[in-house]
Amino acid sequence: MKDIAIVAFTQSRHSAEENGLSETEMLLPLITGVKEQVGVSRFDFTCSGSNDYLLGAPFSFVSALDAVGAWPPISESHVEMDGAWALYEAWVKMQYADIETALVYGFGKPSQGSLREILARGYDPYYLAPLGIDAVSMAALQARAYLARSGAKEGDLTAIAARSRAAGRDNPFALSLDDPAADAPYDVAPLRVHDVAPEADGAAVVVLATGDKVAEISARTGLTPAWIRGIDHRADPHSPGVRDLSVSPSARLAGQKAGAAGVEVAELHVQYSHEELILREALDLGDDVVVNPSGGPLAANPMMAAGLIRIGEAAARIHRGENRRTLGHATSGPCLQQNLVAVLEA
Amino acid sequence: MPTNHALEFPGGYTRSVGPVIGRFLSELRDGKLVGVRAESGRVVFPPLEYDPANGHSVTDEFVEVGPGGVVESFAWVAEPLASHPLDRPFAWALIRPDGADTAILHALDVGELARGAEAPKRLRIGMRVRPDFLPATERIGDIADIRAFRPDVTMITAPSRLEYDIKPGRALDRFLEGVSEGRILGHRCPVCAKVIVPMKGLCPKDGVPTTEEVEVSHTGTVTTFAVNNLPDPRAPEVPFVSAYVLLDGSDIAMVALVSGIPADQVRMGMRVRAVWKPREEWGRTITNIRWFEPIDEPDVPFESIAEYM
């Protein structure tokens, strides 16, 4: 296994409203900035994560490549998923190919359509999609199953939303959201409006390096490299009716394979409050583990970037010398169906 | 300036469903629910080509399940979206039909409710439900051939109305005759001299017949009262006050409604007067008196009504 490190991370100031920028315009300053930061203008490999349905245009990710500068031709790939899976592809590519640097990014602008209906297009076309069920309703089914099994109360969910929003107010990239209102209405019960991550437009960029490039770039940036000590992703069956929604076996397995034990901080891709409780249990995170000090997606949920941002935030804490062992998590699919865990060390 | 952009594949996507899902959809069109048996013996419903527990191919044995089943989890949609199958509040539910080992996700219709309504109490995990199929001629072999699931019948409302022809008896008949003329009549007891309204033809205290008629006043005093917060067909509004009113000149308090004053301002000792309905609405009934309303007189001291509590 090659030692691979995250040597740079940057993200946009996420917006809950359409800000008039195209995806490419949103990405350009981030990629330009990270190139200057690391002192590399041509990467050995480039991989991105996004979803064409957010824009409603096939191959919309191709135009975003304009922000990278793809001439002369570059080695490039794309995943139709959150940028966290683009990072995984880049990590795999670096393991077997003779390359030392990789540029990874994820981006999305849900403000242009109906996100909860767009996400439903990913459901199976025989049994789920024809029903017209939306993503929040799907999550609410899981929340009910978890509350019934664990004995947790709706107030426990509100506490997670409150803590996340308070942390987000200290994060210049997240949204500034008020504390949950005491009489906040349900979105889809048992999830109240603050239990659903606020949709945001945004993007994130990560630079991976290996070999001599790690020391070279770190010397230039002055940041401690965040070594990827373990990374793994797993999937549960797609259909919500064939699995116990109150637990996440795929997150548990990914956590074990990636070596989640002993982390100080975990950045979890929590798009609904109850998911934090299921993930804490699955990843066996004790009370001493700080979860989502950035506020997490409950404070800003830029689609297709929010998972990559979790890994980026976990890395940034090591870059700044604040922690020595952190965890970044990303999820995809209905009801925490797929989970990716990366364990990072100074 | 944003421009509207619709993404649509005209006519939708045409998909082969294969032998497993195809069998399910064909049986569904016939109004039946079938699952498929896995090697382990588990019945996967709705059928998949593989056992989600281990990825092995399922057998070719199809098993009829349900139609009744049990709710395993649910989410309450108070404000349905345009894409949702029902336009009134409903639940998304995971439902495991009897005989199946996995659940189907579908809509659960718990009845007519206004948009925004909270989930009814009876909706809970473990609730028994069954499918509400579209009529046979409208079914096409689609998951929406089930319009929605509906709760099993666990309660009925039985008719409760009986009618009687009541004979009031001579004394009450005479009282009602008075009321139909706008008079309130009582009897005086020959032993204790107390005036009994409405008269019963006897004194309940002394157990002797009474015949001496006395017309009493339309004004009186509230001796005690109750505030009712449940609607009642006889009451003007909620909350309403039912009170014991001791009519001037009588010695037994009569039960009556009190109105014309906020419920929380009614008090013991308050002076009131009967408010009669318009004369053309009168019949042989005490409801000729609509209710009692306060009059502008000082309250009666408690000691003088204490014995009528």
Side-chain angles (χ1 to χ4, degrees):
Chain A
M1 283 286 218
K2 267 185 220 171
D3 286 334
I4 295 168
I6 295 173
V7 291
F9 165 60
T10 183
Q11 61 182 312
S12 58
R13 286 176 186 266
H14 312 308
S15 169
E17 285 161 22
E18 154 71 46
N19 56 15
L21 299 178
S22 72
E23 282 83 348
T24 314
E25 288 168 331
M26 199 165 66
L27 269 169
L28 184 63
L30 298 186
I31 290 177
T32 308
V34 89
K35 281 177 175 174
E36 276 176 24
Q37 188 191 354
V38 298
V40 176
S41 59
R42 301 282 294 175
F43 295 89
D44 298 335
F45 183 56
T46 298
C47 196
S48 61
S50 69
N51 186 313
D52 286 354
Y53 271 107
L54 290 178
L55 186 60
F59 294 94
S60 61
F61 71 91
V62 173
S63 56
L65 270 175
D66 291 349
V68 177
W71 185 264
I74 61 171
S75 171
E76 185 272 339
S77 184
H78 173 259
V79 297
E80 194 74 8
M81 288 184 86
D82 188 285
W85 275 265
L87 183 145
Y88 185 83
E89 181 177 334
W91 180 85
V92 170
K93 178 103 168 173
M94 292 176 88
Q95 288 297 341
Y96 71 80
D98 187 19
I99 59 175
E100 290 191 303
T101 59
L103 176 74
V104 175
Y105 58 93
F107 62 96
K109 286 196 67 187
S111 65
Q112 299 172 122
S114 168
L115 180 63
R116 58 181 74 190
E117 290 175 67
I118 287 170
L119 292 176
R121 300 315 297 255
Y123 301 159
D124 99 63
Y126 311 107
Y127 298 147
L128 292 180
L131 292 175
I133 188 168
D134 61 289
V136 180
S137 294
M138 203 72 114
L141 280 169
Q142 182 172 43
R144 175 91 53 198
Y146 174 78
L147 294 176
R149 195 261 300 164
S150 68
K153 299 288 180 247
E154 289 180 19
D156 298 326
L157 306 187
T158 302
I160 288 167
R163 198 205 69 231
S164 301
R165 286 174 165 221
R169 291 196 291 271
D170 292 335
N171 175 354
F173 301 101
L175 306 179
S176 186
L177 301 168
D178 293 336
D179 280 331
D183 59 348
Y186 286 112
D187 188 321
V188 178
L191 296 175
R192 295 185 188 271
V193 289
H194 49 251
D195 294 318
V196 178
E199 294 173 18
D201 295 349
V205 180
V206 162
V207 175
L208 299 180
T210 186
D212 295 342
K213 285 288 179 189
V214 175
E216 196 180 303
I217 292 172
S218 298
R220 192 173 295 126
T221 59
L223 299 174
T224 307
W227 297 99
I228 299 174
R229 289 301 177 213
I231 185 165
D232 197 90
H233 68 105
R234 301 281 157 168
D236 291 316
H238 177 81
S239 172
V242 302
R243 54 190 167 114
D244 177 355
L245 288 181
S246 73
V247 291
S248 180
S250 60
R252 178 175 297 280
L253 193 54
Q256 285 169 356
K257 297 283 181 188
V263 298
E264 300 152 34
V265 167
E267 279 283 340
L268 305 180
H269 194 176
V270 170
Q271 298 183 85
Y272 306 94
S273 300
H274 70 279
E275 292 181 346
E276 179 175 312
L277 298 170
I278 293 177
L279 289 167
R280 270 181 178 272
E281 195 177 289
L283 298 172
D284 200 19
L285 303 176
D287 291 341
D288 55 330
V289 179
V290 177
V291 170
N292 287 354
S294 69
L298 288 173
N301 189 26
M303 287 311 297
M304 303 299 141
L308 182 62
I309 289 169
R310 304 282 70 76
I311 299 173
E313 290 277 7
R317 298 187 71 82
I318 290 172
H319 290 167
R320 297 189 297 259
E322 292 170 6
N323 292 100
R324 296 205 49 84
R325 186 173 164 86
T326 63
L327 181 153
H329 159 267
T331 191
S332 183
C335 304
L336 294 171
Q337 187 214 349
Q338 303 162 54
N339 292 282
L340 184 152
V341 175
V343 174
L344 310 175
E345 272 184 3
Chain B
M1 272 291 287
T3 50
N4 184 255
H5 158 65
L7 176 66
E8 184 178 16
F9 195 90
Y13 295 101
T14 304
R15 298 179 196 276
S16 303
V17 292
V20 177
I21 292 169
R23 175 70 180 266
F24 167 79
L25 294 174
S26 301
E27 298 277 3
L28 193 67
R29 191 178 56 188
D30 291 343
K32 282 188 211 145
L33 306 180
V34 298
V36 68
R37 198 176 294 285
E39 283 170 357
S40 63
R42 293 198 331 149
V43 175
V44 178
F45 174 86
L48 297 171
E49 297 85 350
Y50 58 92
D51 182 348
N54 56 21
H56 295 179
S57 292
V58 292
T59 70
D60 54 8
E61 185 192 349
F62 288 84
V63 184
E64 188 164 352
V65 300
V70 65
V71 170
E72 294 198 325
S73 186
F74 66 90
W76 182 248
V77 183
E79 299 279 356
L81 302 177
S83 64
H84 288 169
L86 296 169
D87 59 6
R88 63 188 195 220
F90 70 101
W92 289 111
L94 287 171
I95 294 157
R96 188 171 51 77
D98 301 338
D101 293 295
T102 63
I104 187 173
L105 190 153
H106 216 297
L108 174 56
D109 182 3
V110 294
E112 290 283 354
L113 290 165
R115 279 184 84 89
E118 286 185 19
K121 292 260 189 299
R122 64 178 178 143
L123 173 59
R124 55 185 170 74
I125 291 172
M127 184 188 210
R128 299 271 324 161
V129 299
R130 51 181 59 214
D132 177 13
F133 283 98
L134 295 179
T137 52
E138 293 175 26
R139 296 197 294 261
I140 57 170
D142 184 282
I143 197 74
D145 284 355
I146 300 173
R147 191 188 66 85
F149 281 75
R150 290 196 297 180
D152 274 10
V153 177
T154 57
M155 276 188 282
I156 59 163
T157 302
S160 65
R161 183 182 167 84
L162 292 172
E163 289 197 16
Y164 299 86
D165 291 321
I166 297 293
K167 293 201 171 50
R170 280 195 201 91
L172 189 55
D173 196 45
R174 173 66 187 143
F175 174 79
L176 294 175
E177 187 181 349
V179 166
S180 68
E181 296 163 356
R183 303 161 69 210
I184 306 174
L185 301 177
H187 272 170
R188 192 187 309 279
C189 171
V191 176
C192 65
K194 298 219 185 249
V195 174
I196 299 148
V197 179
M199 63 265 230
K200 303 167 183 289
L202 56 84
C203 174
K205 182 161 166 274
D206 299 304
V208 296
T210 57
T211 53
E212 184 193 344
E213 248 174 48
V214 183
E215 183 170 351
V216 299
S217 172
H218 294 196
T219 58
T221 303
V222 172
T223 61
T224 187
F225 64 94
V227 179
N228 299 265
N229 288 293
L230 294 177
D232 185 295
R234 293 162 298 182
E237 61 198 9
V238 174
F240 68 91
V241 175
S242 51
Y244 272 55
V245 174
L246 183 66
L247 292 172
D248 298 339
S250 81
D251 296 288
I252 286 187
M254 204 169 77
V255 178
L257 297 176
V258 170
S259 187
I261 180 170
D264 61 357
Q265 290 177 28
V266 176
R267 52 202 183 268
M268 295 165 80
M270 191 175 82
R271 296 285 294 153
V272 293
R273 181 197 310 278
V275 176
W276 292 71
K277 286 182 183 169
R279 182 131 212 159
E280 57 273 18
E281 292 176 26
W282 285 3
R284 280 173 70 86
T285 165
I286 187 66
T287 60
N288 288 359
I289 299 175
R290 196 194 297 279
W291 56 63
F292 284 77
E293 285 187 357
I295 50 178
D296 188 18
E297 284 181 18
D299 284 6
V300 170
F302 178 77
E303 301 75 49
S304 60
I305 55 172
E307 68 173 291
Y308 300 103
M309 290 296 119

